[in-house]
Amino acid sequence: MDSIKDRELSKVIYQDLIKETILNSRFELLSDTSGYGLIFLGSIENSEKCYFKDANNNIISKYILKGSFISDYPTIIEGNGINEKQSVTLKELNDEIKTQIEIYLKSLKVFNTNIVPDIQLFPESINIDYNVIIQNLKTDTQESIDKKEKLLKYFEISQKYEDVNFNVFIMKYVENYDTYDNILEIINNLEPELEEYKEEETDKEMEERNIRNENKIEEVNKLQNDSIQKLKYIYIIHHLLLGLLGYIHGDAHGGNIMIYFDKNNIEKSLDEYKAYIIDFGRLNKINIFNFNLNMYKENDINTTNILINTIIYIINSIDNNCDTVRKESSEPKELWSCIDISDYTKLNMEEFSNLLHILIAKLNNFSKLELTNIKLQKYKEIILN
């Protein structure tokens, strides 16, 4: 489209399709831990209402919906049973979207893959009536009913302010990904399937059963400990990858990273070390050399040393800037959500070595990837426009 009129028309059509998508979706709350928004999972149950495709030309039937309270001046939304939220300006939210596009494209260019979710062309937030989400919330479990009650509190309190609106934008959801916080809760709640006492069992059978149960308890404990360690590694590695692109996440809590996780195959899924970082309302840029995969050579001592020094610099930058809000409020670091997950500066040599090994393996895998023609074309189209 060459004319301004055509571009404006396309923008209106895009916004109408977004609204139509939202109207035909079912929602569940993924995260409300961010100080600046709410993260939902939207599911389109009618395939005829799927209007968008991702960078690989696949139809999007599930998506992440990020919503923020919008006002011209900072407004605090707080109450019993909810996490405190602060409104943002419309410009701040739209700048966040632009930043995510920037990171998406840069990660494609540098890593041959994206470390943030795919986002659509003409990505701009739109204002919606929050009742659309409330009316289409899933309430098939007690947990989902409780989440609905919490959401109602957020919106009821926000409506006390005349100038506060609710704006949203969407990005692609990838199947079998969940937030760090949700996965951690699942892992912490794992319980072994113990054999129950049987009245007719002999003393020997009871002893053997007890031994089997003890082994099952040990196996679950080991799975929990190993899985929690892997979760932390995944979290750290993907924030290091973001650092290699020149950015530090300023709100790096466990609700702002989506990790590949299969609860029926926990070990194998976490061993993939796959994740996407989300929510870029608070982002810091750092001065870093223009990293690219061609600069790094496997088993080369010089490039490995450069990578190690760069990682140390990124770790220090993360340690100082991963919770912008609490930093600006002069709260002690032990209260920062990112430090609560993993204190970067206290990594021992074994942990640092493990992290470096996993990171190098990911970089080597990235170097073997090739951008699809569709992704390249999309990249070129956005750059040219």
Side-chain angles (χ1 to χ4, degrees):
M1 296 183 180
D2 297 325
S3 69
I4 293 175
K5 183 178 178 181
D6 284 340
R7 287 199 294 272
E8 288 301 315
L9 178 61
S10 180
K11 186 175 176 181
V12 170
I13 293 172
Y14 170 81
Q15 290 180 338
D16 286 344
L17 289 177
I18 290 286
K19 290 177 181 178
E20 185 72 15
T21 295
I22 292 171
L23 285 170
N24 288 282
S25 298
R26 299 279 287 168
F27 294 100
E28 56 183 289
L29 179 64
L30 278 181
S31 173
D32 70 329
T33 51
S34 171
Y36 297 91
L38 301 166
I39 308 287
F40 299 89
L41 171 62
S43 302
I44 309 166
E45 297 178 345
N46 183 350
S47 60
E48 294 182 356
K49 301 295 182 179
C50 296
Y51 302 115
F52 298 98
K53 292 182 179 181
D54 64 16
N56 291 317
N57 214 31
N58 299 314
I59 291 174
I60 296 176
S61 60
K62 285 187 177 181
Y63 58 91
I64 296 171
L65 183 142
K66 163 74 183 290
S68 292
F69 297 100
I70 303 296
S71 63
D72 292 334
Y73 302 97
T75 302
I76 301 298
I77 298 164
E78 58 184 345
N80 293 329
I82 64 174
N83 295 313
E84 182 181 297
K85 303 289 176 195
Q86 181 173 310
S87 67
V88 297
T89 66
L90 182 58
K91 182 181 183 304
E92 286 174 329
L93 181 58
N94 286 333
D95 283 349
E96 175 187 342
I97 300 170
K98 291 176 184 176
T99 298
Q100 181 162 335
I101 298 172
E102 181 182 313
I103 296 171
Y104 175 84
L105 295 175
K106 197 168 184 179
S107 65
L108 282 182
K109 186 177 181 181
V110 175
F111 298 136
N112 296 329
T113 188
N114 49 303
I115 63 170
V116 301
D118 186 18
I119 196 166
Q120 297 305 308
L121 296 177
F122 302 105
E124 187 174 281
S125 70
I126 60 171
N127 175 249
I128 65 167
D129 181 351
Y130 69 84
N131 285 307
V132 173
I133 294 178
I134 293 294
Q135 291 167 4
N136 289 309
L137 277 174
K138 293 181 179 180
T139 53
D140 50 349
T141 65
Q142 185 58 50
E143 181 184 10
S144 60
I145 293 172
D146 293 341
K147 286 182 177 180
K148 182 175 182 178
E149 292 300 314
K150 181 186 282 190
L151 283 171
L152 282 170
K153 288 183 182 179
Y154 283 121
F155 292 123
E156 286 170 359
I157 293 170
S158 71
Q159 291 306 296
K160 294 179 181 178
Y161 305 96
E162 291 183 1
D163 65 333
V164 174
N165 296 306
F166 192 68
N167 275 43
V168 300
F169 70 93
I170 69 171
M171 62 196 96
K172 184 188 174 185
Y173 170 78
V174 185
E175 204 69 48
N176 292 326
Y177 279 71
D178 205 345
T179 65
Y180 175 100
D181 289 340
N182 288 345
I183 296 172
L184 183 62
E185 183 178 359
I186 292 171
I187 290 172
N188 282 331
N189 289 328
L190 290 175
E191 293 185 359
E193 295 182 6
L194 301 179
E195 299 176 38
E196 297 181 355
Y197 168 77
K198 297 177 182 178
E199 292 185 4
E200 67 275 12
E201 70 182 4
T202 64
D203 289 345
K204 182 179 180 181
E205 288 172 334
M206 181 189 298
E207 181 181 356
E208 291 173 346
R209 176 176 57 81
N210 287 336
I211 291 173
R212 288 195 297 272
N213 283 343
E214 287 175 4
N215 289 336
K216 289 179 180 179
I217 292 172
E218 288 181 7
E219 288 175 4
V220 169
N221 288 339
K222 185 178 185 305
L223 177 61
Q224 287 176 315
N225 292 333
D226 291 348
S227 298
I228 290 171
Q229 184 65 61
K230 288 175 185 176
L231 270 181
K232 289 184 177 181
Y233 283 164
I234 294 169
Y235 170 94
I236 295 172
I237 284 167
H238 282 80
H239 281 284
L240 292 177
L241 290 173
L242 187 64
L244 286 173
L245 296 179
Y247 307 93
I248 302 298
H249 202 298
D251 190 19
H253 57 75
N256 279 343
I257 182 168
M258 304 286 293
I259 296 172
Y260 177 63
F261 180 72
D262 182 353
K263 62 184 178 182
N264 296 317
N265 203 339
I266 294 175
E267 285 184 283
K268 184 177 180 181
S269 61
L270 293 181
D271 281 341
E272 296 280 341
Y273 290 96
K274 295 194 297 189
Y276 293 107
I277 298 175
I278 60 175
D279 196 352
F280 297 96
R282 294 292 178 269
L283 198 74
N284 302 288
K285 290 190 177 183
I286 56 174
N287 293 321
I288 196 167
F289 69 92
N290 292 323
F291 178 85
N292 67 73
L293 293 173
N294 293 328
M295 291 173 58
Y296 174 73
K297 298 177 182 178
E298 191 174 2
N299 298 323
D300 185 291
I301 188 66
N302 292 325
T303 53
T304 299
N305 284 336
I306 292 173
L307 180 63
I308 290 173
N309 290 330
T310 304
I311 294 304
I312 292 172
Y313 167 69
I314 295 172
I315 285 175
N316 288 327
S317 299
I318 292 172
D319 182 63
N320 290 317
N321 298 287
C322 63
D323 196 332
T324 303
V325 175
R326 288 181 173 84
K327 180 181 180 179
E328 291 174 351
S329 301
S330 299
E331 293 188 32
K333 277 190 179 178
E334 56 264 26
L335 297 180
W336 294 15
S337 54
C338 47
I339 300 299
D340 181 58
I341 296 176
S342 179
D343 190 336
Y344 294 85
T345 59
K346 292 183 179 178
L347 292 171
N348 60 42
M349 287 302 296
E350 181 181 359
E351 290 172 325
F352 184 82
S353 176
N354 288 338
L355 276 172
L356 189 63
H357 175 77
I358 298 166
L359 179 62
I360 288 174
K362 284 195 76 69
L363 293 176
N364 288 333
N365 287 334
F366 288 163
S367 67
K368 298 171 186 175
L369 296 175
E370 290 185 7
L371 283 177
T372 65
N373 289 333
I374 294 171
K375 278 190 176 180
L376 279 171
Q377 185 60 34
K378 181 173 183 179
Y379 176 83
K380 291 175 182 176
E381 285 175 0
I382 298 176
I383 291 297
L384 291 174
N385 290 333

Coordinates of all heavy atoms in Angstrom, one line a residue, residues 19 35 41 45 48 66 89 95 136 158 179 188 260 277 289 300 313 350 382:
K19 N -10.2 -6.9 17.5 CA -11.4 -6.8 18.4 C -12.3 -8.0 18.1 O -12.8 -8.6 19.1 CB -12.2 -5.5 18.1 CG -11.5 -4.3 18.6 CD -12.3 -3.0 18.3 CE -11.5 -1.8 18.8 NZ -12.2 -0.5 18.4
G35 N 3.9 -5.2 37.8 CA 3.3 -3.9 38.4 C 2.6 -3.1 37.4 O 2.0 -2.1 37.8
L41 N -4.1 -15.7 28.6 CA -4.1 -16.6 27.4 C -5.4 -16.6 26.8 O -6.4 -16.9 27.4 CB -3.7 -18.0 27.9 CG -3.9 -19.2 26.9 CD1 -2.9 -18.9 25.7 CD2 -3.6 -20.5 27.5
E45 N -11.9 -20.6 19.7 CA -12.5 -22.0 19.6 C -13.1 -22.2 18.2 O -13.3 -23.4 17.8 CB -13.6 -22.2 20.7 CG -12.9 -22.1 22.1 CD -14.0 -22.2 23.2 OE1 -15.2 -22.1 22.9 OE2 -13.6 -22.5 24.4
E48 N -12.9 -20.5 12.1 CA -13.2 -19.5 11.1 C -13.0 -18.1 11.6 O -13.0 -17.2 10.8 CB -14.7 -19.7 10.7 CG -15.0 -21.0 10.0 CD -16.5 -21.1 9.5 OE1 -17.3 -20.2 9.9 OE2 -16.8 -22.1 8.9
K66 N -1.7 -9.0 26.4 CA -1.1 -8.1 27.4 C -2.1 -6.9 27.6 O -2.3 -6.2 26.6 CB 0.3 -7.7 27.0 CG 0.8 -6.5 27.8 CD 1.2 -6.8 29.2 CE 1.7 -5.6 30.0 NZ 3.0 -5.1 29.6
T89 N 1.0 5.5 30.4 CA 0.4 6.4 29.4 C 0.3 5.5 28.1 O 0.9 4.5 28.0 CB 1.3 7.6 29.1 OG1 2.5 7.2 28.5 CG2 1.5 8.4 30.3
D95 N 5.1 2.3 23.0 CA 6.5 2.2 22.9 C 7.0 0.8 23.3 O 8.0 0.3 22.8 CB 7.2 3.2 23.8 CG 7.2 4.6 23.2 OD1 6.8 4.8 22.1 OD2 7.4 5.6 24.0
N136 N -15.8 -13.7 29.1 CA -15.3 -14.9 28.3 C -14.2 -15.6 29.1 O -13.4 -16.4 28.5 CB -14.7 -14.4 27.0 CG -15.8 -14.0 26.0 OD1 -16.8 -14.8 25.8 ND2 -15.7 -12.8 25.5
S158 N -10.3 0.2 39.2 CA -9.9 1.1 38.1 C -11.0 2.0 37.6 O -10.8 3.1 37.2 CB -9.3 0.3 36.9 OG -10.4 -0.4 36.2
T179 N 4.5 -19.8 32.5 CA 5.4 -18.9 33.2 C 6.3 -19.6 34.2 O 5.9 -20.7 34.7 CB 4.6 -17.8 33.9 OG1 3.8 -18.4 35.0 CG2 3.7 -17.0 33.0
N188 N 6.7 -27.7 42.8 CA 6.7 -27.7 44.3 C 5.6 -28.6 44.8 O 5.7 -29.1 46.0 CB 6.6 -26.3 44.9 CG 8.0 -25.6 44.8 OD1 9.0 -26.2 44.9 ND2 7.9 -24.3 44.7
Y260 N 9.2 -23.6 28.1 CA 8.7 -24.8 27.5 C 8.6 -25.8 28.6 O 9.6 -26.1 29.3 CB 9.6 -25.3 26.4 CG 9.2 -26.6 25.8 CD1 7.9 -26.8 25.2 CD2 10.0 -27.8 25.9 CE1 7.5 -28.0 24.7 CE2 9.6 -29.0 25.4 CZ 8.4 -29.1 24.8 OH 8.0 -30.3 24.3
I277 N 10.9 -14.5 26.5 CA 10.8 -13.4 27.5 C 9.6 -12.5 27.0 O 9.5 -12.2 25.8 CB 12.1 -12.6 27.6 CG1 13.2 -13.5 28.2 CG2 11.9 -11.4 28.6 CD1 14.5 -12.8 28.2
F289 N 29.2 -4.6 22.5 CA 29.6 -4.7 21.2 C 28.5 -5.5 20.3 O 27.7 -6.2 20.9 CB 30.9 -5.5 21.1 CG 30.8 -6.9 21.4 CD1 30.6 -7.9 20.5 CD2 31.0 -7.4 22.8 CE1 30.5 -9.2 20.8 CE2 30.9 -8.7 23.1 CZ 30.6 -9.6 22.1
D300 N 37.3 -22.1 20.5 CA 38.3 -21.1 20.2 C 38.5 -20.3 21.5 O 37.5 -19.7 22.0 CB 37.8 -20.2 19.1 CG 38.9 -19.2 18.7 OD1 39.2 -18.3 19.6 OD2 39.5 -19.3 17.6
Y313 N 29.9 -9.0 32.3 CA 29.4 -7.6 32.2 C 27.9 -7.6 32.2 O 27.2 -6.8 32.9 CB 29.9 -6.9 31.0 CG 29.3 -5.6 30.6 CD1 29.4 -4.5 31.4 CD2 28.4 -5.6 29.5 CE1 28.8 -3.3 31.1 CE2 27.8 -4.4 29.2 CZ 28.0 -3.3 30.0 OH 27.4 -2.1 29.6
E350 N 31.0 -23.7 39.8 CA 30.3 -24.8 39.1 C 29.0 -24.4 38.4 O 28.8 -24.7 37.3 CB 30.0 -25.9 40.1 CG 29.3 -27.1 39.5 CD 28.9 -28.2 40.5 OE1 29.2 -28.0 41.7 OE2 28.3 -29.2 40.1
I382 N 9.0 -5.4 7.4 CA 8.9 -4.5 8.6 C 9.9 -3.4 8.5 O 9.7 -2.2 8.8 CB 9.0 -5.2 9.9 CG1 7.8 -6.2 10.0 CG2 8.9 -4.3 11.1 CD1 7.8 -7.1 11.2

